[in-house]
Structures are given as structure tokens and as C-alpha cells.
Amino acid sequence: MGPRATPVTKPRLVSLNVKLTRVHRSSPSSLTRLPGVVEVIPVFPDEKDAELRKLYVLQVETDGVNAVLRALRSDPAVAYAEESAPRKVLG
């Protein structure tokens, strides 16, 4: 028998809600460059309303959540950053 393959585990991700102080045409590079940030998702990418276009969801590796929140909260381009409330399907 040969060596057993170690299963590859995906990092657990945490969602963060982020609102920027101004609208960007694409995902702001300040969000994508933070260590631990896996994905930056605009909540309303095709919206014309400027306030709604400032909203993003970040997918962050569990181990990096606190550091990412600290960095976001100290960034003047970020109006707020908070962990998304956990959700589960009812029914």
C-alpha cells in the first residue's frame, strides 16, 4: 500500500459587508489587495443609485477576518465594514 492522499480542504470563508465612501467603476484595488480576501462582490453591480453601488460583500478566509476588519475600519475610503449575520435556510 502506498501513502494515503491527504484530502484538500477549502479554507472556510466569512462574508463581510462593506460600504465605501465613494463609487468605483470596478472592485476597488484597496479591497482586493488585503491578505485573506478571496473575492470582492459588488452587491448591486448594475444599479444606477450611487449609494447602492457603494455596497460590497467580501469573502475572507476565517483566519484573516480580524486583520481585514481592522484594515478596512482604518481606511478613510470605507464608510463601514462588518461581519455578515449568519443565515440558514428555514423550511
Side-chain angles (χ1 to χ4, degrees):
M1 264 191 156
R4 291 186 180 180
T6 305
V8 177
T9 57
K10 293 182 180 179
R12 185 160 176 253
L13 300 178
V14 175
S15 295
L16 301 180
N17 297 322
V18 177
K19 181 178 182 184
L20 301 177
T21 56
R22 56 189 153 82
V23 175
H24 291 266
R25 289 186 186 175
S26 61
S27 296
S29 60
S30 60
L31 298 179
T32 58
R33 283 186 285 190
L34 292 169
V37 173
V38 175
E39 188 174 11
V40 177
I41 306 161
V43 177
F44 300 104
D46 299 324
E47 180 60 48
K48 294 186 187 321
D49 181 78
E51 286 302 305
L52 293 177
R53 288 185 14 228
K54 296 177 187 178
L55 301 174
Y56 290 84
V57 173
L58 276 61
Q59 296 295 313
V60 180
E61 293 174 359
T62 304
D63 297 343
V65 170
N66 291 331
V68 170
L69 281 171
R70 273 193 307 278
L72 291 170
R73 290 175 177 160
S74 67
D75 185 342
V78 176
Y80 71 80
E82 61 190 13
E83 193 169 334
S84 299
R87 296 181 177 102
K88 69 178 186 176
V89 177
L90 299 176

